[in-house]
């Protein structure tokens, strides 16, 4: 029988009503007691790292989860992390950089409805997560939710209420689960020993453009942050309202050593900023990075991880365009 470590972090799955609002209260042991089928699959030990609504999670929580997996890596065959759904895609992406190349499964799961409710997705999601954690073929960081296995770098919460809360963006599902049977389509690469990183530079900001955007907002962000992600429209590009003011802000920020990343606010298919004239000029700026088919969640985690290691522009460029856990596939530098 395989040995799995369950790491509890909170979320709806562990929530109960206090008054009229939900808050995480149950321990991982209490969750397991409600899904007895898991004890027939594997031996489980539990660590309750914290019990928070994932809305309040920060990169410091990602570091604690990574340290917990690292410190227990040799003792277990796989890991199940119970987690709130609201920021699970950010955690999954960040952990994909902080735990690289793991041959053992590191599975995040949670639920849209608490485990104690009459109608809940908690039990099936937990059981499916353990089925994946016991598999010899599922490797590295993945989200298991609603019968789908989604690569950690490709997940996004796309539904706020229904059980099909997560989608795989610009990448196929790794596997599906039906009645406990795992049907795997893709086997991610892994190495014998994973590499762990816990140094992050969290000074990363994001701006989503709206028509008529106040350019001062970008100016402010480039003053405050080491790296700024710009979610532009369509395939990308910077708007110009009769002048090059936005482009000037970007060029000025780069000259001060800031990192600017262009991406798109369109969920599927990614960016290609060179297509239109409004984006062409930005592509002529070699220091501006373009995210192509990466998710914003993955860009965020990757930047924090890269800037935690280096400030050298050439290194940042190289690391950003080096695929990690299939986070970027269709790109050109
Ligand atoms: N607010 C909750 C959380 O992210 C939502 C959930 O778990 O579904 O912790």
């Amino acid at each position: 029988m395989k040995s799995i470590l369950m790491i509890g972090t909170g979320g709806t799955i562990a929530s109960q009503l206090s008054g009229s609002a939900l808050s995480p209260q149950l321990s991982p042991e209490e969750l397991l007691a409600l899904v007895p089928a898991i004890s027939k699959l594997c031996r489980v030990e539990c660590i309750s790292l914290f019990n928070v609504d994932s809305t309040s999670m920060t990169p410091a929580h990602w570091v604690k989860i990574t340290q917990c997996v690292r410190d227990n890596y040799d003792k277990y065959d796989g890991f199940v992390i119970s987690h709130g759904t609201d920021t699970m895609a950010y955690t999954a992406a960040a952990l994909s950089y902080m735990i690289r190349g793991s041959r053992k499964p590191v599975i995040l799961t949670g639920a849209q409805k608490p485990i104690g409710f009459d109608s809940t997705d908690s039990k099936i999601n937990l059981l499916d997560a353990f089925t994946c954690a016991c598999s010899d073929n599922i490797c590295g960081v993945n989200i298991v939710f609603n019968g789908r296995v989604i690569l950690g770098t490709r997940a996004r919460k796309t539904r706020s209420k229904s059980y099909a809360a997560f989608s795989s963006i610009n990448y196929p599902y790794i596997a599906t689960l039906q009645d406990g049977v795992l049907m795997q389509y893709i086997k991610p690469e892994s190495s014998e020993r994973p590499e762990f990183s816990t140094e992050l530079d969290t000074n990363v900001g994001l701006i989503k453009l709206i028509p008529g955007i106040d350019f001062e907002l970008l100016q402010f962000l480039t003053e405050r942050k080491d790296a700024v992600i710009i979610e532009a429209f369509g395939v990308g590009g910077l708007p110009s309202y009769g002048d090059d003011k936005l482009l000037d802000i970007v060029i000025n920020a780069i000259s001060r050593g800031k990192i600017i990343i262009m991406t798109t606010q369109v969920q599927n298919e990614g960016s290609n900023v060179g297509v239109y004239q409004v984006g062409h000029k930005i592509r002529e700026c070699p220091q501006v990075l373009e995210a192509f088919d990466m998710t914003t969640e993955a860009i965020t985690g990757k930047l924090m991880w890269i800037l935690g290691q280096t400030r050298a522009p050439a290194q940042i460029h190289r690391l950003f365009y080096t695929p990690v856990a299939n986070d970027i596939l269709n790109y050109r530098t």
Side-chain angles (χ1 to χ4, degrees):
M1 241 194 188
K2 296 218 172 182
S3 263
I4 308 296
L5 179 65
M6 177 169 176
I7 302 172
T9 74
T12 293
I13 190 167
S15 287
Q16 287 183 318
L17 280 169
S18 40
S20 57
L22 288 168
S23 66
Q25 294 174 37
L26 299 178
S27 65
E29 288 86 352
E30 287 171 311
L31 295 179
L32 283 177
L34 294 165
V35 195
I38 292 171
S39 62
K40 298 196 178 71
L41 277 181
C42 53
R43 251 187 319 268
V44 188
E45 288 178 26
C46 298
I47 292 180
S48 180
L49 267 191
F50 22 84
N51 222 353
V52 293
D53 188 307
S54 78
T55 301
S56 306
M57 276 206 182
T58 67
H61 292 92
W62 307 338
V63 171
K64 290 212 173 84
I65 297 171
T66 302
Q67 286 167 336
C68 183
V69 173
R70 182 194 64 197
D71 296 348
N72 289 287
Y73 195 78
D74 292 330
K75 286 191 250 158
Y76 298 95
D77 301 304
F79 302 85
V80 171
I81 303 163
S82 54
H83 194 291
T85 60
D86 289 344
T87 64
M88 191 190 291
Y90 283 95
T91 303
L95 293 186
S96 304
Y97 302 106
M98 298 167 81
I99 307 168
R100 292 180 306 291
S102 172
R103 186 179 49 77
K104 299 181 183 179
V106 178
I107 307 296
L108 287 131
T109 197
Q112 293 281 60
K113 291 279 183 291
I115 201 158
F117 280 22
D118 288 344
S119 168
T120 179
D121 51 340
S122 296
K123 293 177 185 176
I124 186 67
N125 285 349
L126 260 190
L127 185 58
D128 284 349
F130 276 92
T131 301
C132 291
C134 291
S135 159
D136 291 324
N137 295 318
I138 301 278
C139 311
V141 180
N142 292 274
I143 287 182
V144 172
F145 212 94
N146 192 47
R148 301 267 184 280
V149 182
I150 303 171
L151 196 62
T153 53
R154 294 290 181 172
R156 167 165 291 178
K157 187 168 184 183
T158 49
R159 287 189 174 78
S160 60
K161 294 177 184 165
S162 55
Y163 289 170
F166 288 91
S167 302
S168 185
I169 306 297
N170 299 331
Y171 199 76
Y173 292 101
I174 298 292
T176 57
L177 294 116
Q178 183 72 51
D179 300 326
V181 178
L182 181 63
M183 281 163 291
Q184 187 160 350
Y185 311 119
I186 297 173
K187 185 166 183 204
E189 317 130 31
S190 62
S191 47
E192 209 30 60
R193 275 244 45 102
E195 290 181 88
F196 292 96
S197 307
T198 51
E199 290 297 318
L200 297 177
D201 171 0
T202 62
N203 202 22
V204 172
L206 167 72
I207 184 165
K208 178 173 180 167
L209 302 186
I210 58 167
I213 183 147
D214 176 356
F215 293 163
E216 292 303 317
L217 294 174
L218 181 62
Q219 176 67 34
F220 174 78
L221 270 183
T222 62
E223 280 159 20
R224 282 284 280 257
K225 299 288 165 192
D226 297 332
V228 179
I229 305 161
I230 302 177
E231 273 194 358
F233 309 114
V235 286
L238 287 174
S240 148
Y241 305 137
D243 55 25
D244 279 340
K245 204 164 163 219
L246 206 51
L247 188 63
D248 291 344
I249 292 173
V250 169
I251 291 169
N252 193 274
I254 285 166
S255 70
R256 288 181 282 120
K258 305 290 179 161
I259 313 298
I260 304 289
I261 301 91
M262 296 299 300
T263 187
T264 171
Q265 51 193 262
V266 179
Q267 177 173 280
N268 297 303
E269 301 174 0
S271 69
N272 186 2
V273 301
V275 173
Y276 297 101
Q277 210 176 6
V278 287
H280 218 77
K281 286 186 184 159
I282 200 105
R283 206 170 246 175
E284 283 161 14
C285 235
Q287 296 97 326
V288 174
L289 302 171
E290 183 177 351
F292 295 97
D293 61 341
M294 291 179 80
T295 64
T296 296
E297 292 85 338
I299 303 167
T300 306
K302 195 169 198 177
L303 282 174
M304 291 185 184
W305 167 67
I306 292 173
L307 296 176
Q309 308 167 58
T310 181
R311 286 306 164 96
Q315 278 276 80
I316 294 170
H317 190 278
R318 185 184 62 76
L319 284 169
F320 189 78
Y321 290 114
T322 302
V324 176
N326 290 320
D327 60 345
I328 182 166
L329 291 174
N330 298 303
Y331 63 100
R332 56 194 180 88
T333 58

